[in-house]
Amino acid sequence: MSLLKKMHQDYLEFDKTNTELVRMVKAEIKHYRNDTEFFRNPSVLTKLEHITIAYLNYYHEEYSPGLVHMLGPFVYSLQKESDQYYCFQSFLKAREDFFSTAGINKCLANFLMLFRTMQSELYNYFEEEELEPNEWAMPWMQYLLCRELPLESLLRLWDTYFASHESFDLHVYVCLAILEHWNEYLIELDYAEIKAFLQHLPVMDMDQIITQAYNKREEVLALDLI
């Protein structure tokens, strides 16, 4: 039996049942991109449930909100459920390795420091509006914008992460580029409007954002800011 066939067979045998986990996962699935026709398909929703439960059971992990959002792009992009599972598994391992090395709090601190240094006007405006970083910046870092970006924008961004040797190291600069792109718009909003916007970003030219992110990275390195 080939390795791929064995992996497929192994996935079929994974435990995909757990009453309490199913309840929590279905609650997240219920609100996951229901404005997208693809994710209203019952067979797709079943895949989201099975893969999430299989992962949690296999690794004996507790459910955490955001798993379905991180899985969605793989279910959308790949055909076979076992392929979706193993790509999702590899992604979570890479994400875990990145944050165990860099540290989520350090990533957040670096991002906020660069935001304050490079876009002080907008940073100060957020402070004036009493917008706390945990309300938007922490989720941006922790879930790599999978909950905030429209699907097409997210796919383009993650494609860059997977293809680039910088991988998730680029993420801080992508977030800075997004803020700069929307700077003039954001500075005209009040607290509630800013928070809503940052939690549900509109479609944007991700090629432009990614190019700007690389430029910002070069600028930060040249100035030795971190």
Side-chain angles (χ1 to χ4, degrees), residues 23-81:
R23 182 186 65 78
M24 291 186 287
V25 169
K26 281 188 172 181
E28 185 176 351
I29 290 173
K30 183 179 179 180
H31 301 288
Y32 178 67
R33 297 195 186 278
N34 46 30
D35 58 337
T36 304
E37 183 178 357
F38 178 83
F39 289 108
R40 294 197 296 268
N41 184 321
S43 66
V44 171
L45 302 182
T46 298
K47 286 182 178 181
L48 290 171
E49 178 187 326
H50 284 174
I51 293 170
T52 305
I53 300 298
Y55 177 84
L56 292 171
N57 281 338
Y58 185 82
Y59 287 98
H60 305 288
E61 291 190 7
E62 294 183 0
Y63 169 77
S64 62
L67 278 176
V68 170
H69 284 74
M70 289 188 284
L71 168 61
F74 299 101
V75 173
Y76 184 83
S77 303
L78 301 167
Q79 293 296 317
K80 188 182 292 186
E81 187 172 319

Side-chain angles (χ1 to χ4, degrees), residues 16-136:
K16 304 177 184 68
T17 61
N18 183 309
T19 303
E20 183 61 19
L21 285 177
V22 167
R23 182 186 65 78
M24 291 186 287
V25 169
K26 281 188 172 181
E28 185 176 351
I29 290 173
K30 183 179 179 180
H31 301 288
Y32 178 67
R33 297 195 186 278
N34 46 30
D35 58 337
T36 304
E37 183 178 357
F38 178 83
F39 289 108
R40 294 197 296 268
N41 184 321
S43 66
V44 171
L45 302 182
T46 298
K47 286 182 178 181
L48 290 171
E49 178 187 326
H50 284 174
I51 293 170
T52 305
I53 300 298
Y55 177 84
L56 292 171
N57 281 338
Y58 185 82
Y59 287 98
H60 305 288
E61 291 190 7
E62 294 183 0
Y63 169 77
S64 62
L67 278 176
V68 170
H69 284 74
M70 289 188 284
L71 168 61
F74 299 101
V75 173
Y76 184 83
S77 303
L78 301 167
Q79 293 296 317
K80 188 182 292 186
E81 187 172 319
S82 58
D83 291 342
Q84 295 162 356
Y85 171 84
Y86 286 113
C87 286
F88 176 57
Q89 179 192 57
S90 296
F91 164 78
L92 290 181
K93 179 64 167 60
R95 174 177 169 270
E96 179 184 352
D97 289 346
F98 174 72
F99 284 131
S100 65
T101 302
I104 182 65
N105 291 325
K106 183 178 179 181
C107 287
L108 178 62
N110 284 340
F111 167 65
L112 292 174
M113 183 274 290
L114 293 174
F115 181 29
R116 182 177 64 248
T117 303
M118 304 176 80
Q119 299 176 49
S120 58
E121 183 182 12
L122 186 60
Y123 180 91
N124 290 335
Y125 184 66
F126 281 10
E127 285 207 323
E128 289 172 15
E129 290 295 317
E130 299 182 350
L131 183 69
E132 295 294 331
N134 282 343
E135 296 181 274
W136 66 280

